[in-house]
Amino acid sequence: MKKLGLFSMFLILTIIISACGSNDEKNAGEKEKSQKVYKVGVDTTYPPFEFKEGNDYKGIDIELINAIAKDQDFKIKFSPMDFGGIIPAMQANQLDVAIAGMSITEERKKVVDFSTPYFDAGLTVVVKKDNTSTKSVDDLKGKTIAVKKGTTGAKYAQDNSKKLGIKVVQFNDSPAMFQEVANGNAEALIEDYPVISYAIAQKDLGLKIVGDRLNGDQYGIAVLKGQNQDLLKKINDGLANLKKDGTYDEILKTYLGE
Ligand code: GLN
């Protein structure tokens, strides 16, 4: 009787232990399967928001989305591309998320859902350093203006080309656009204020900012419209947590200083 008692206890324990083990494995397996890896579109020629250093992605946007993903327990993979390709890639279901110094606009809101704003930017006019005749956008009549495809800067130039009497040339990335003005091939360019001021502070591009900011663009993180409400909620919750716990300020400080 005593022997049988011990034996059955052993048996029961073995069953409990093995049941626990297999449950754990099953849960891990299910979690693995349900852990979708979200593809995040980034514009990697856009410091201080995103750039590549060796094989690493760096910048405010990169660190923010990494921290949000960690806080909200989801996985991401970066897809670098020209800014102008990001929204089309989202619409073609090749991307789930975009964080690319992307300004929140009414036009874009028709095709993507934006997170709460995470950065105040705004457009500005940039000319060659030795240009003394251009003090604002109103001095550009008859001149050629360089812009980057698909950006709010490009839209501003196109929408105002008649009124300002300007000719607009488009480039795929910001460095190519900067070069065009530094070379004297275009009179001015339009870029986001924090991006061009960071670029000028980093190295002498032979460029300077003129006039006031042209608008009050704010950056948002985009997900495909109407299809990713859970993910959008996680992004907004994560962003709020990073703002609360000081991570957001830390990230900004790393790239922009005090
Ligand atoms: N903020 C601008 C826009 O959303 C430019 C973004 C960029 O060039 N990466 O259009």
Side-chain angles (χ1 to χ4, degrees):
M1 212 31 203
K2 202 178 170 199
K3 247 188 189 167
L4 193 67
L6 263 178
F7 179 71
S8 28
M9 261 174 71
F10 175 74
L11 205 66
I12 289 165
L13 260 176
T14 314
I15 290 168
I16 291 173
I17 289 167
S18 63
C20 280
S22 69
N23 247 349
D24 276 357
E25 274 162 32
K26 208 170 127 216
N27 285 345
E30 268 165 17
K31 199 173 177 204
E32 203 55 48
K33 253 187 259 159
S34 67
Q35 270 267 21
K36 181 178 157 68
V37 179
Y38 292 106
K39 282 191 229 102
V40 180
V42 287
D43 170 10
T44 40
T45 53
Y46 215 53
F49 293 93
E50 38 214 304
F51 53 99
K52 247 186 145 179
E53 216 173 70
N55 282 328
D56 295 334
Y57 293 107
K58 293 223 160 140
I60 295 169
D61 284 356
I62 303 293
E63 293 204 22
L64 272 182
I65 194 72
N66 273 332
I68 290 170
K70 191 169 170 219
D71 184 75
Q72 296 291 311
D73 195 25
F74 63 82
K75 287 194 175 143
I76 55 170
K77 183 178 183 300
F78 291 114
S79 295
M81 60 186 74
D82 287 338
F83 184 79
I86 291 180
I87 288 191
M90 292 188 85
Q91 290 179 285
N93 272 317
Q94 289 158 357
L95 294 175
D96 302 293
V97 181
I99 183 161
M102 188 183 281
S103 305
I104 299 170
T105 70
E106 289 309 313
E107 202 184 3
R108 288 176 183 157
K109 275 191 199 164
K110 291 179 193 151
V111 287
V112 297
D113 287 324
F114 282 106
S115 69
T116 46
Y118 68 89
F119 196 87
D120 292 333
L123 298 170
T124 190
V125 175
V126 179
V127 296
K128 218 171 153 176
K129 223 170 160 184
D130 59 10
N131 180 333
T132 49
S133 57
T134 310
K135 300 210 163 50
S136 83
V137 75
D138 298 314
D139 300 324
L140 294 171
K141 210 176 173 68
K143 309 285 188 193
T144 298
I145 312 304
V147 297
K148 182 161 118 189
K149 272 184 200 154
T151 61
T152 48
K155 188 165 180 346
Y156 180 93
Q158 280 153 353
D159 288 353
N160 292 287
S161 65
K162 278 234 172 72
K163 194 180 96 191
L164 298 171
I166 55 171
K167 187 171 165 265
V168 182
V169 280
Q170 304 207 42
F171 293 87
N172 285 331
D173 56 55
S174 290
M177 173 175 74
F178 298 166
Q179 201 56 49
E180 190 73 357
V181 175
N183 288 345
N185 295 334
E187 182 81 0
L189 63 90
I190 299 177
E191 178 60 286
D192 289 20
Y193 185 89
V195 171
I196 189 64
S197 55
Y198 180 86
I200 290 172
Q202 289 292 306
K203 71 173 184 210
D204 187 5
L205 295 172
L207 300 172
K208 67 175 180 188
I209 293 169
V210 289
D212 297 328
R213 291 191 204 200
L214 302 173
N215 69 12
D217 269 5
Q218 287 186 306
Y219 293 165
I221 304 167
V223 300
L224 198 57
K225 194 169 178 64
Q227 295 184 23
N228 266 326
Q229 295 313 296
D230 288 352
L231 179 59
L232 187 61
K233 185 177 178 331
K234 284 184 185 168
I235 290 172
N236 279 332
D237 289 351
L239 194 55
N241 289 343
L242 302 186
K243 284 192 174 168
K244 238 183 280 152
D245 73 8
T247 309
Y248 173 88
D249 288 337
E250 271 306 309
I251 293 172
L252 257 59
K253 216 167 91 184
T254 306
Y255 293 93
L256 303 176
E258 292 301 321

